[in-house]
Amino acid sequence: MTGTGRATTPVRIAMWSGPRTLSTATMRAWENRPDTVVVDEPLYGYYLAATGLDHPGRDEVVASQPTDWRAVVRTLTEGELPGGATISYQKHMTHHVLPEVDLDAFTGLRHAFLIRDPRRLLASYARVREHPTLADLGLVQQVALHRRFGGPVVDSDDLLRDPRGVLTALCAALEVPFDERMLSWPPGRRESDGVWAPHWYASVEASTGFGPYRETPVELPGSLAGLAAECLPHYDELAAGRLRS
């Protein structure tokens, strides 16, 4: 409530990313704000149920979430936020947005986009799934969503190089105040983490912040070089307007 007794309209942020883009670490940063509640990949159960794909922990994921995208979107766009929060931060995987999903349903959200150099993304992703495809990475959908809604773009390498500067710029672009507590967080698992956390979140569970940036060589299997090249034009389109700290 405001000082006049009127309810404050919640800020609802949709962060659109692909896998292995620091998306969970960025969710941790937002969750460490006292004014923010986070939602972890709310369309994942729908995506797996609709596609029949076999992902790690598939049955648990499908059982843990509504599988009707309409029901999911209603929870993301309507009602009060729990615990007195004024910001809802939604971590979305863009490939979860299948063609049947009506994008108009997301119009009232504030949109942002998290990207990563395809070679680094694929080198990380291949350690969990051996044979990724372009559809697994969500770059085509991410470009389509950005063309539809616009919004700030953050490159994960820029975020690692300068967490304070990039997060400050992101908050300004989303018209919310920066909070110093976004720069670090306690280690461990969260109740807000999806049931798929044991398969994907080991490194972020051990983390306490973004840490110092270290330039590391990309060890990309030769079998994925063609897919990296296919991803590059989509990445380049998004990266052209990315936030600078």
Side-chain angles (χ1 to χ4, degrees), residues 19-30:
R20 319 312 283 177
T21 56
L22 289 184
S23 58
T24 308
T26 306
M27 180 175 71
R28 287 283 191 273
W30 284 87

Side-chain angles (χ1 to χ4, degrees), residues 22-46:
L22 289 184
S23 58
T24 308
T26 306
M27 180 175 71
R28 287 283 191 273
W30 284 87
E31 189 170 21
N32 213 44
R33 297 173 60 115
D35 59 358
T36 301
V37 61
V38 302
V39 185
D40 192 10
E41 300 185 29
L43 289 165
Y44 196 8
Y46 152 74

Side-chain angles (χ1 to χ4, degrees), residues 23 25-26 29 35-36 78 118 140 143 161 165 181 187 196 198 202 217 222 229 236 238:
S23 58
T26 306
D35 59 358
T36 301
E78 300 176 3
V140 174
V143 167
R161 288 187 184 97
R181 284 165 286 197
W196 51 89
D236 286 344
L238 292 164

Side-chain angles (χ1 to χ4, degrees), residues 61-187:
V61 176
V62 172
S64 72
Q65 296 178 323
T67 56
D68 181 341
W69 68 265
R70 298 168 189 81
V72 174
V73 173
R74 279 195 295 272
T75 68
L76 301 176
T77 58
E78 300 176 3
E80 296 183 1
L81 302 182
T86 57
I87 299 173
S88 167
Y89 178 89
Q90 304 165 13
K91 172 195 163 193
H92 287 286
M93 296 288 107
T94 56
H95 57 285
H96 294 170
V97 183
L98 298 174
E100 70 173 326
V101 175
D102 180 6
L103 296 183
D104 285 344
F106 297 101
T107 299
L109 304 179
R110 300 184 191 183
H111 300 271
F113 299 82
L114 185 60
I115 62 174
R116 189 180 190 186
D117 182 305
R119 292 161 297 185
R120 294 190 180 280
L121 187 159
L122 283 167
S124 176
Y125 191 78
R127 290 194 286 268
V128 182
R129 297 193 73 209
E130 187 176 356
H131 302 293
T133 67
L134 183 62
D136 290 330
L137 307 178
L139 275 163
V140 174
Q141 298 95 319
Q142 194 172 30
V143 167
L145 286 159
H146 188 259
R147 290 176 180 175
R148 175 70 173 266
F149 296 116
V153 177
V154 170
D155 188 294
S156 61
D157 278 351
D158 294 336
L159 180 56
L160 286 174
R161 288 187 184 97
D162 184 9
R164 182 189 303 275
V166 170
L167 288 173
T168 298
L170 175 61
C171 289
L174 292 169
E175 300 181 348
V176 298
F178 171 71
D179 190 313
E180 193 80 16
R181 284 165 286 197
M182 298 176 76
L183 297 174
S184 60
W185 50 82

